[in-house]
Amino acid sequence: MNRKLLILLFFLVTFLMKAQNGVWTTNVTDAIALSNEQRKPLLILFTGTGASESIQREVFNTIEFQNWSRKKVILVKLDLSAETSSEIKEQSIKLKNAFNIIDLPEVCFAFANTRNGKTMFQALGKLSYKNEGARSWISESELILNPSE
């Protein structure tokens, strides 16, 4: 009995650990629907070939970020590299230009609504990576998301 309980506990813990990882979507339409349903802003990561992976390692892969993002934002990752399909790349480039993204990687926070087949974005702010770790990045993000606090 104890052995079965331990095995069950092991699988439960493994499942919960995997569930804690932030889930990034690449489908903007699905992300907008989820954002509106959950009333959370989009965190759109613009990245591509040659973009620094430091932000992934030092911010996005940390427990602090994963806990924060699960409560605060809908994660969207738009890869502007040549490996993506032409339709997805074209959509990503249009968004990159609309948000005036210059350097990669860069994050834009926004809300969006789709009406009559047209998507309108309300940009909240942008944030680049500054080698200061997850806590600092989250603090700067909170200032964008909650400017009056």
Side-chain angles (χ1 to χ4, degrees):
M1 181 72 173
N2 285 339
R3 185 178 177 139
K4 287 181 182 179
L5 187 59
L6 284 174
I7 291 171
L8 179 63
L9 184 62
F10 170 77
F11 284 112
L12 181 61
V13 168
T14 302
F15 173 76
L16 290 174
M17 291 299 286
K18 288 191 183 280
Q20 283 187 350
N21 291 335
V23 178
W24 293 83
T25 184
T26 57
N27 186 314
V28 175
T29 305
D30 290 347
I32 291 169
L34 197 56
S35 168
N36 290 329
E37 179 184 308
Q38 295 184 15
R39 298 177 194 245
K40 294 179 186 176
L42 300 167
L43 181 159
I44 307 170
L45 169 63
F46 292 91
T47 189
T49 305
S52 172
E53 292 293 320
S54 296
I55 193 169
Q56 284 288 134
R57 192 174 49 256
E58 296 175 21
V59 177
F60 300 147
N61 292 342
T62 66
I63 296 295
E64 292 104 339
F65 176 80
Q66 292 169 10
N67 291 335
W68 175 82
S69 67
R70 195 174 21 260
K71 296 174 192 167
K72 299 286 188 165
V73 294
I74 303 299
L75 300 172
V76 182
K77 186 174 187 177
L78 300 181
D79 190 345
L80 299 163
S81 64
E83 292 85 38
T84 58
S85 74
S86 60
E87 183 180 321
I88 292 172
K89 187 173 181 180
E90 183 180 325
Q91 179 187 36
S92 299
I93 289 172
K94 284 181 182 178
L95 286 173
K96 175 185 176 272
N97 293 337
F99 288 118
N100 197 28
I101 303 296
I102 298 168
D103 295 322
L104 298 177
E106 192 162 6
V107 168
C108 184
F109 295 96
F111 281 106
N113 287 308
T114 303
R115 288 200 177 114
N116 301 325
K118 284 193 168 194
T119 302
M120 302 296 291
F121 287 90
Q122 175 193 357
L124 303 173
K126 296 188 296 187
L127 189 57
S128 298
Y129 176 65
K130 300 174 190 152
N131 198 14
E132 296 173 357
R135 286 193 179 141
S136 174
W137 197 91
I138 290 169
S139 293
E140 288 187 52
S141 297
E142 283 292 335
L143 291 173
I144 292 171
L145 298 175
N146 304 301
S148 60
E149 292 180 11

